[in-house]
Amino acid sequence: MFPSLRLWLRRGNDFARHDKSWTRVLYPWREIGCMARAIWKGSISFGLVNIPIALYAATRREEFKFRLLRKSDLSPVNYKRVAEKDGKEVPWDQIVKGYEYEKGKYVVLKDEDFERVDLEATQTVDIQDFVDQEEIDPMFFYKPYYLEPQKGGDKAYALLRDALKDSGKVGIAKVVIKTRQYLAGVKPEDGALVLELMHFADELADPGKLHVPKKTEVGKRERNMAKSLIDSMSSKWNPREVQGRLSRSAHGSDRRKSGSWRERNRRKTAKSSQTDQGDRSGFRFAEEPGTNRREEKGDVQIAQEESAAREESGITV
């Protein structure tokens, strides 16, 4: 990375840490997030209508990624492809794909077999039917994509969006993404058209097989108590607030641990430097009685106390 670019990014991080509005200026891709690049460009097709569109992912996942390390020296651990029969490593050119139809019995599939069933990626959202949205169980929907009109398609896009909104209908379509065909619904959402992938009927588990109470006799007093509890905990749906609470809970322990590690490393370096100076002058620094808190309380408790002290003073690591 060029020095000037590295300096610009470092300054950007400093600004953004204190003023979140700088994030939009310095890092615009953080605002548009997962919509930075289209997955593919194609069209919505139904009847004789063809609307040019681009397909964008509507969701993204942010999560910690952990590496498996060897405890003694923190060396990353890698995996190898080994055969169950003799434990020997298998190179890629010796690997084939097979379907296990019985325990230990396989049918090997070749590239030609996959080519025969490979679906052509037409990059078309082919709407087959329009149905009332209320008739569709929400359990069928599972992954949304945004549809953006392309050049010359604005008017037809807006007409379809508004017509679906006014009629309460959903377009049931088939679409090929990468090499797989999906069932999907096209519906209006916040001024845009959304393509939401759907499960097929046989992919949903039957809830009738669950051992749940059919009907129980509940007294009026208990029912009122349950309603009161629900009312006392009711609030307006605020996804950002919920995300904030979960993020603080999930990231807090990791930040505290990394912060205490940095603090311990700093103290260790300072103590080592002080000891070296004492050795050079012909004597060692002696600890005062009762100052060796680490032996009395242990590393974990000391780390918790240090983290709590930093949080009270407003110091972030």
Side-chain angles (χ1 to χ4, degrees):
M1 184 183 292
F2 296 107
S4 58
L5 179 58
R6 188 184 299 113
L7 179 61
W8 181 77
L9 290 173
R10 187 182 300 120
R11 288 177 177 173
N13 279 325
D14 292 338
F15 279 119
R17 190 177 296 115
H18 298 288
D19 185 358
K20 298 299 182 183
S21 63
W22 276 92
T23 306
R24 298 187 184 91
V25 179
L26 297 169
Y27 309 107
W29 58 85
R30 290 186 183 177
E31 291 299 307
I32 59 177
C34 55
M35 295 170 58
R37 184 173 58 181
I39 297 174
W40 54 250
K41 295 183 179 181
S43 62
I44 299 174
S45 175
F46 61 99
L48 299 176
V49 179
N50 196 280
I51 307 172
I53 51 94
L55 185 75
Y56 292 87
T59 59
R60 59 181 174 184
R61 296 185 63 182
E62 294 183 1
E63 58 185 4
F64 284 117
K65 293 184 178 180
F66 297 99
R67 290 293 306 272
L68 296 179
L69 309 172
R70 184 166 57 189
K71 185 177 181 181
S72 59
D73 58 359
L74 302 185
S75 174
V77 176
N78 295 320
Y79 292 96
K80 293 183 178 181
R81 302 171 301 277
V82 296
E84 289 185 2
K85 187 174 183 179
D86 53 18
K88 294 182 179 180
E89 186 174 358
V90 183
W92 277 114
D93 60 358
Q94 295 297 315
I95 294 178
V96 296
K97 296 180 180 179
Y99 173 75
E100 187 175 20
Y101 63 93
E102 286 183 16
K103 184 67 175 179
K105 296 183 179 181
Y106 302 90
V107 174
V108 176
L109 299 176
K110 300 179 181 179
D111 291 340
E112 304 84 60
D113 299 318
F114 289 101
E115 289 175 0
R116 283 199 296 269
V117 297
D118 191 19
L119 297 170
E120 182 182 0
T122 59
Q123 297 183 341
T124 300
V125 180
D126 189 7
I127 297 179
Q128 306 288 307
D129 302 286
F130 291 97
V131 301
D132 290 332
Q133 185 167 352
E134 296 179 352
E135 295 180 1
I136 305 175
D137 189 333
M139 292 280 287
F140 278 95
F141 297 104
Y142 71 93
K143 189 173 183 179
Y145 292 87
Y146 283 123
L147 300 175
E148 179 188 64
Q150 298 301 287
K151 185 177 181 180
D154 287 2
K155 185 174 182 180
Y157 180 97
L159 282 171
L160 177 60
R161 177 198 61 199
D162 296 342
L164 289 174
K165 184 177 179 180
D166 294 341
S167 62
K169 301 281 187 179
V170 174
I172 303 301
K174 61 179 182 180
V175 59
V176 177
I177 299 177
K178 295 183 179 178
T179 59
R180 182 179 173 186
Q181 188 178 68
Y182 294 91
L183 177 69
V186 177
K187 52 187 180 179
E189 188 73 35
D190 292 334
L193 282 176
V194 172
L195 175 82
E196 193 160 7
L197 301 187
M198 300 174 65
H199 294 289
F200 290 100
D202 57 1
E203 292 178 333
L204 294 180
D206 183 7
K209 296 181 180 180
L210 298 175
H211 298 288
V212 295
K214 300 298 182 182
K215 187 176 181 181
T216 56
E217 295 294 331
V218 179
K220 185 177 180 180
R221 184 175 180 181
E222 287 121 341
R223 194 185 301 274
N224 290 337
M225 286 178 61
K227 290 181 178 179
S228 292
L229 180 59
I230 293 173
D231 291 340
S232 65
M233 298 180 65
S234 296
S235 63
K236 290 186 176 180
W237 169 240
N238 187 340
R240 293 191 178 276
E241 175 62 25
V242 173
Q243 179 183 1
R245 289 201 303 266
L246 294 177
S247 298
R248 287 192 294 271
S249 175
H251 301 344
S253 60
D254 184 78
R255 292 187 62 186
R256 285 195 296 270
K257 188 168 184 178
S258 62
S260 63
W261 179 85
R262 293 192 187 99
E263 180 66 17
R264 287 200 305 272
N265 193 45
R266 184 188 65 78
R267 290 162 63 93
K268 183 178 179 180
T269 303
K271 185 176 180 180
S272 176
S273 176
Q274 190 181 36
T275 303
D276 291 342
Q277 292 177 4
D279 288 341
R280 287 195 294 271
S281 62
F283 64 89
R284 291 181 179 273
F285 290 93
E287 290 186 348
E288 297 180 3
T291 58
N292 193 354
R293 297 186 303 140
R294 208 164 291 280
E295 291 184 0
E296 296 176 4
K297 298 183 177 181
D299 287 347
V300 175
Q301 188 172 351
I302 293 298
Q304 292 174 346
E305 292 177 357
E306 291 170 353
S307 177
R310 285 196 300 274
E311 289 179 358
E312 291 177 0
S313 59
I315 299 175
T316 58
V317 180

